[in-house]
Amino acid sequence: MTEVTSVAEPPPASEPPRGGLRLPSWVTELGRPGARRLLAWQALIDSSGNGIALGLLTLYLVGPAGLTTSEVAACLSAAAVAGLLATLPARRLMPRIGARRYAIISSLVRGALIAVLPFTSGVVPVGILMVLNGAAEAGRYAMYQVIIVDVVPEKDRGEVLGVRRAIGNLGFTVAAGLATLAIAGGSRTAFQVAFLFDALTFVVSAVLVARIRTSPPSATEPGTRTRGFFQDRRYLTLTVLRSVCGILATSVFTVGLPLWVTTRTAAPAWLAGTLLGLNTLLVVLFQVGISARVSGLASARRFLLLSSALTGVGVAAGFAVASHVGTVTAAVVLLVGTVLAVFGEMTDTSSWWVISIDLAPADRRAEYLTTFDISTPATEIIGPTAMVLVVALGSTGWLAFGALVFVASVWSALLLPRETAIGKDSASS
């Protein structure tokens, strides 16, 4: 069941002839032999299942499951908090058993929980399943980063991470569209089929990861342990700052912008969906190329500063202005602001991938990256509420949010050390 893959990946199976049609990087990645192909297919399959489930989850809970809207909100919040709290034991478990085995267990547990969900009703059983699922998600990004560091050469890691995100966005979008079939059906059986498909994607994901050969987990020799994560003030500070910057990726385009367009501007309501689709399209087209250009802390610093400028201008000149102009002008500035903000978010994301890996001590990388993952559930908890507050404050709210992200990005860039060697202990400055 295990496929032998080497660190030195072979070239793509086929290169397009000079002057011929060149396929996007994420397409060629799906056909590339070795671990990179397995990681690409895992990202596509996993995001497809998640796209269907998330597109149906709320409708199922308030429909066949019989929950009220307040109970749904409570279950979702409890799951997010469980994911945040479970990060602490996950940071101990992953280094002990290895990121590959941890990813397999996590996928199988989540698949089992999702398979049971559509046959469950009532707030208590549903709440228990969602809390357990939230806990099983802990470290879901870190485990793949650790695997990628192990099996992909350093120069290619940014590209691989960018490919996974582009493919993930594509799979999520297509699957979310397919979820409308279950919605159209409306019956409990239709929901059950959709959730069982999601459960199957977790099993397939686990099989793909199992075929990747990684290095065995290595225990630190007694007396050689470096300082712990929570004593590493620079890495801890960067984790907090990442939580601030991460709101841009998790909530602006899914919560803040749709609310802003439909309630506070003269732009047509359909523009909200268009802007969300534009966000996805830009990520699919450009994330891989941007990520491939961030290959060390020096480039990560430059891209963080670029991100701060793009985000600041996009939010200030696009979103904040849109409520003070007419229909056509509002649509134009929202489009321009979205493009700038999306490119700011892509450069920001690419920088944080490199920062989190390069500043983690080599002998404790799994522990550091898992704890760094606290920033993900933190933004998922804080982000929607923050966006509602931003929209309520009007243009002032967007200007304040843009300034906050700008300061967090610049502060993060200033915290980065000059040395770029992977595996150095990031002692606090």
Side-chain angles (χ1 to χ4, degrees):
M1 191 176 183
T2 301
E3 177 175 310
V4 178
T5 59
S6 61
V7 171
E9 294 283 357
S14 61
E15 291 290 343
R18 184 170 297 180
L21 178 64
R22 185 178 181 85
L23 296 174
S25 298
W26 57 266
V27 175
T28 59
E29 196 80 358
L30 291 170
R32 184 191 296 267
R36 291 178 61 167
R37 173 176 57 84
L38 295 172
L39 287 166
W41 278 103
Q42 186 278 326
L44 179 62
I45 291 169
D46 184 65
S47 62
S48 298
N50 285 337
I52 289 178
L54 292 178
L56 299 176
L57 181 60
T58 301
L59 293 176
Y60 170 75
L61 295 181
V62 298
L67 274 64
T68 66
T69 53
S70 59
E71 289 172 339
V72 171
C75 288
L76 292 173
S77 299
V81 172
L84 183 65
L85 296 177
T87 302
L88 297 178
R91 67 188 285 267
R92 296 296 187 188
L93 179 60
M94 191 185 300
R96 290 173 181 265
I97 66 174
R100 172 175 165 272
R101 186 176 299 174
Y102 183 94
I104 294 170
I105 295 172
S106 174
S107 292
L108 293 177
V109 169
R110 292 178 64 196
L113 293 170
I114 291 297
V116 174
L117 180 62
F119 300 93
T120 307
S121 300
V123 63
V124 174
V126 168
I128 292 173
L129 288 175
M130 292 186 66
V131 166
L132 292 174
N133 185 66
E137 282 186 305
R140 65 186 183 273
Y141 296 115
M143 56 192 176
Y144 291 109
Q145 280 186 292
V146 175
I147 292 172
I148 288 170
V149 168
D150 191 16
V151 302
V152 177
E154 180 183 352
K155 63 183 179 62
D156 297 328
R157 289 172 191 164
E159 181 182 8
V160 171
L161 287 163
V163 164
R164 284 178 57 81
R165 186 174 186 223
I167 289 176
N169 266 34
L170 182 65
F172 188 90
T173 302
V174 173
L178 293 176
T180 57
L181 297 177
I183 296 173
S187 66
R188 190 181 189 111
T189 300
F191 282 103
Q192 288 171 343
V193 171
F195 280 112
L196 288 175
F197 173 81
D198 183 31
L200 179 62
T201 64
F202 281 110
V203 175
V204 176
S205 177
V207 171
L208 290 172
V209 173
R211 296 179 64 193
I212 301 173
R213 171 165 292 184
T214 59
S215 303
S218 57
T220 305
E221 294 296 327
T224 63
R225 289 179 67 85
T226 56
R227 68 178 65 201
F229 173 90
F230 291 103
Q231 285 73 51
D232 191 336
R233 288 176 293 175
R234 175 163 54 199
Y235 205 97
L236 183 59
T237 303
L238 287 168
T239 300
V240 175
L241 293 173
R242 166 56 181 153
S243 299
V244 175
C245 297
I247 295 175
L248 183 65
T250 59
S251 300
V252 166
F253 302 109
T254 57
V255 179
L257 199 52
L259 281 176
W260 183 247
V261 170
T262 55
T263 64
R264 303 298 291 268
T265 77
W270 55 260
L271 185 63
T274 301
L275 296 178
L276 183 59
L278 178 62
N279 170 32
T280 301
L281 178 63
L282 291 175
V283 170
V284 171
L285 293 177
F286 296 105
Q287 181 70 78
V288 178
I290 291 173
S291 300
R293 289 170 171 77
V294 187
S295 57
L297 292 180
S299 57
R301 182 185 297 106
R302 292 194 299 270
F303 273 67
L304 271 181
L305 295 174
L306 175 61
S307 171
S308 67
L310 290 171
T311 303
V313 174
V315 169
F319 304 162
V321 171
S323 64
H324 302 287
V325 293
T327 302
V328 175
T329 305
V332 171
V333 296
L334 283 168
L335 283 169
V336 173
T338 297
V339 171
L340 292 174
V342 171
F343 273 93
E345 187 268 327
M346 286 190 289
T347 53
D348 172 84
T349 298
S350 300
S351 300
W352 284 110
W353 285 334
V354 171
I355 291 167
S356 60
I357 292 172
D358 281 22
L359 289 184
D363 60 340
R364 304 187 71 181
R365 186 169 285 127
E367 177 187 343
Y368 266 59
L369 290 176
T370 305
T371 315
F372 185 82
D373 238 9
I374 289 175
S375 62
T376 300
T379 57
E380 292 172 350
I381 295 171
I382 299 170
T385 302
M387 285 298 99
V388 171
L389 178 60
V390 164
V391 172
L393 293 175
S395 296
T396 302
W398 282 114
L399 292 174
F401 174 73
L404 180 63
V405 174
F406 180 87
V407 170
S409 297
V410 173
W411 188 359
S412 300
L414 294 176
L415 281 176
L416 298 184
R418 295 296 173 181
E419 64 269 16
T420 60
I422 292 181
K424 289 192 176 185
D425 190 333
S426 55
S428 57
S429 53

